[in-house]
Amino acid sequence: MSHDEEDALLAGALGKFVNVDGAMGRKIIPYAHDAFHVPESRQYDKQSAADRLKEIALSLTPNERAVLEGFVLLCSCGTLETTSFFEFLHWWALCGYTYQGCMDALISYKFKGGQSSFAIKFFKEALSTRKLSYAFNSPVQSISDEGDNVTLTTRNGQQYTGSRLVSTIPLNVLNTISFNPPLDSQRASAANIGHVNQCVKVHAEISNKDMRSWTGIAYPFNKLTYAIGDGTTRAGNTHIVCFGGFHNHLQPEEDINETKKAAQSMAPGNMDIKRLVFHNWSKDEFAKGAWFFSPPNLLSTSLDALRSRHGNVLFANSDWAVGWRSFIDGAIEEGTRAAFTVTEDLRGASTSRSRL
Amino acid sequence: MSHDEEDALLAGALGKFVNVDGAMGRKIIPYAHDAFHVPESRQYDKQSAADRLKEIALSLTPNERAVLEGFVLLCSCGTLETTSFFEFLHWWALCGYTYQGCMDALISYKFKGGQSSFAIKFFKEALSTRKLSYAFNSPVQSISDEGDNVTLTTRNGQQYTGSRLVSTIPLNVLNTISFNPPLDSQRASAANIGHVNQCVKVHAEISNKDMRSWTGIAYPFNKLTYAIGDGTTRAGNTHIVCFGGFHNHLQPEEDINETKKAAQSMAPGNMDIKRLVFHNWSKDEFAKGAWFFSPPNLLSTSLDALRSRHGNVLFANSDWAVGWRSFIDGAIEEGTRAAFTVTEDLRGASTSRSRL
């Protein structure tokens, strides 16, 4: 199939998948940044992607079903059964309710210097204020709110104290930390359930220059299922990004030959691999997964709880952003919200003091 | 015609208007926030909307032409001859290259409390830092950069001095202020040309409740050409917003009966007017027009000059934003850019000093 044929196939299949309201999802989620605005939208959080596929099964050709499942799993990197259909509709709304919008917002653009270059700019800007102290590689053991102050203790016994604490700890790591007073039961339960994204992202440098703009799907049998040609490396090789997920989970560092084989199976005969680069986010103790993707019944029950403050502890992570949840934009949303809250808090406090 | 038929008519006509590249403008302006990225895009800044209409005249039905001209003039509020076709393509790109995107980004949403409520929140937040001093109703006479400091003098002789000055003076007002040293010739010439938007916005409260979701066009003979039902007022009346522009210019305060007649002609027999509200931005000495819309040959020659710093004077106004130019979002873009520049400047300066 040509690129255009593939696009049309996936666009058509996605249309059938999301069209729950005769308006391609616009009626059920009219505001992507307030996705539960229409109360009926909550019912779709009871459904998994697998449930929705069952509903529309008779209207899908086998090819449509394969590309659709591949695309949904590329978003959630869970399994079809553990992917909330609501959250997929929310992504669809964020992308302007079109396939083209999904390509534009999710896949087409990247930073010239990679995401690290972006993160480094943030960090340098913070450093330049001369108000930033930092410690890396310091797993947190406990967070204790003593009323006037919050104290954080690392596993190696280091302590930090402040009047407010902004926790950016991801959902899947939250239950490894002891809170005093304990987290409310709704948030604790959500943290125990966690999100389902166990994305495996393997970057391959290959010599074949024709693969520059290639897209491949190898689903459901291969351990990497979706691959995209992503430019030319400085060495003149082609950069291919391969994605896999929990539905057929690969631990890429455990057996390099298996990983290589999974990548090569994406395009038999065309993957002369020069180099593989990956990071196992599933095993990373600071992440325990990739970008947030919710199972059914998590967001409709727990989003408000995840966003609420816990005394002097504010929680700011893209995992519970209301708009671009799971994306860097969502992290900025949440960071802004926490910064604003802390500023208001402390200005209020200093006002009270000066009034005494 | 029904709403849907009108939508389809305008969508079809817009498609013909913007489709300069067989890709609905996507190839010629692939990045809305870097609109001159493809050098060939500059040629469309030599064209006016009228020029483009001539090119496609044979493909437009009379109805298509009427709604298309009405919509273009609603965007620029100039004349078809003074509306840059490039700038219209830029708006189209910002809106995701679709009619639906234009409705979503330009027309559908508003602040519950009006734009003033938003501006007041900004102001209150700035006040709460206790670092803001302010003066209103103080027209600026001159801005003088003395190397170490910038001094601003108002027409009533008040002076303010600082190490940097951020000028938010709109393009159409810039040439009423004396700069020392003088502005570079490219910026000065752009300020003398100015932008073309002389929008007349007249709000009418009418008793007819059926007009709640009505849209009307009365073009080209009426002095108000486009009107939109915009909700119900607290008194239970229907709020209608009527737009006019420079092509058939109305000074709404000069003859209230004429203004009333122009509003009533939008929907003869259906406009039982209880109240009219308007502000004449054209005569407002702090604005001299409405939102920025460029004539041909302004942006392609002068955008960089308008964005450049002038010694210790930074220029931050939506009029020369690269993305959402003319919109509040563009003002935020520019305010952020200026704030960042000043912060970098002053941090750099304090670093140098501490190194001495």
Side-chain angles (χ1 to χ4, degrees), chain B residues 117-177:
Chain B
S117 69
F118 187 60
I120 287 166
K121 286 211 170 187
F122 265 86
F123 186 67
K124 285 198 173 156
E125 190 180 336
L127 267 188
S128 76
T129 63
R130 302 184 193 184
K131 289 178 184 169
L132 178 70
S133 304
Y134 60 93
F136 289 126
N137 295 312
S138 308
V140 174
Q141 171 122 36
S142 65
I143 290 170
S144 179
D145 184 350
E146 291 122 16
D148 283 337
N149 280 302
V150 186
T151 297
L152 177 153
T153 309
T154 67
R155 266 191 238 146
N156 61 19
Q158 188 77 38
Q159 290 202 320
Y160 303 94
T161 296
S163 55
R164 296 292 183 282
L165 183 139
V166 179
S167 165
T168 63
I169 299 164
L171 180 64
N172 282 5
V173 180
L174 215 50
N175 70 356
T176 67
I177 286 140

Side-chain angles (χ1 to χ4, degrees), chain B residues 25-93:
Chain B
R26 267 186 187 270
K27 280 189 192 156
I28 201 73
I29 305 188
Y31 307 114
H33 288 247
D34 182 13
F36 291 124
H37 184 83
V38 173
E40 289 71 28
S41 63
R42 290 180 182 270
Q43 75 191 70
Y44 296 104
D45 195 43
K46 294 182 185 149
Q47 282 194 305
S48 67
D51 294 334
R52 175 61 182 165
L53 280 162
K54 258 179 232 150
E55 285 182 352
I56 61 163
L58 294 177
S59 73
L60 293 173
T61 68
N63 274 349
E64 281 181 328
R65 181 147 188 159
V67 294
L68 177 56
E69 292 191 3
F71 187 77
V72 170
L73 290 173
L74 181 62
C75 294
S76 82
C77 297
T79 65
L80 294 169
E81 291 71 23
T82 58
T83 295
S84 161
F85 179 46
F86 163 82
E87 186 67 334
F88 189 85
L89 286 173
H90 174 228
W91 278 40
W92 177 255

Side-chain angles (χ1 to χ4, degrees), chain A residues 9 12-19 52-65 68:
Chain A
L9 183 71
L14 272 169
K16 294 175 189 175
F17 192 62
V18 300
N19 197 11
R52 175 62 183 164
L53 280 163
K54 257 178 234 153
E55 285 181 352
I56 60 164
L58 294 177
S59 72
L60 294 172
T61 68
N63 274 350
E64 281 182 328
R65 181 149 189 155
L68 177 57

Side-chain angles (χ1 to χ4, degrees), chain A residues 67-200:
Chain A
V67 293
L68 177 57
E69 292 191 4
F71 187 77
V72 170
L73 290 173
L74 180 61
C75 294
S76 81
C77 297
T79 65
L80 294 170
E81 291 72 23
T82 58
T83 296
S84 161
F85 179 47
F86 163 83
E87 186 66 335
F88 189 85
L89 286 173
H90 173 229
W91 278 40
W92 178 255
L94 284 166
C95 295
Y97 313 90
T98 64
Y99 171 68
Q100 178 71 56
C102 290
M103 293 301 106
D104 287 352
L106 305 176
I107 284 183
S108 301
Y109 305 108
K110 60 176 179 176
F111 290 107
K112 212 174 198 170
Q115 292 196 1
S116 305
S117 69
F118 187 60
I120 287 166
K121 285 211 168 187
F122 265 85
F123 186 66
K124 284 198 172 155
E125 190 180 336
L127 267 187
S128 75
T129 64
R130 302 185 193 182
K131 290 176 182 169
L132 178 70
S133 304
Y134 59 91
F136 289 127
N137 294 314
S138 308
V140 175
Q141 171 122 36
S142 65
I143 291 171
S144 180
D145 184 351
E146 291 122 15
D148 285 335
N149 281 302
V150 186
T151 297
L152 178 153
T153 308
T154 66
R155 264 189 240 148
N156 61 19
Q158 189 76 37
Q159 290 202 318
Y160 303 93
T161 295
S163 55
R164 298 291 183 283
L165 182 139
V166 179
S167 165
T168 63
I169 298 162
L171 181 64
N172 282 4
V173 180
L174 215 48
N175 70 357
T176 66
I177 287 140
S178 144
F179 281 86
N180 175 30
L183 296 178
D184 61 290
S185 61
Q186 188 71 53
R187 180 169 0 226
S189 142
N192 285 331
I193 293 165
H195 76 75
V196 301
N197 189 322
Q198 297 297 338
C199 178
V200 182

Side-chain angles (χ1 to χ4, degrees), chain B residues 171-172 174-175 183 186-195 298 306:
Chain B
L171 180 64
N172 282 5
L174 215 50
N175 70 356
L183 296 178
Q186 188 70 53
R187 183 172 355 227
S189 142
N192 285 331
I193 294 165
H195 75 76
L298 181 71
L306 289 169

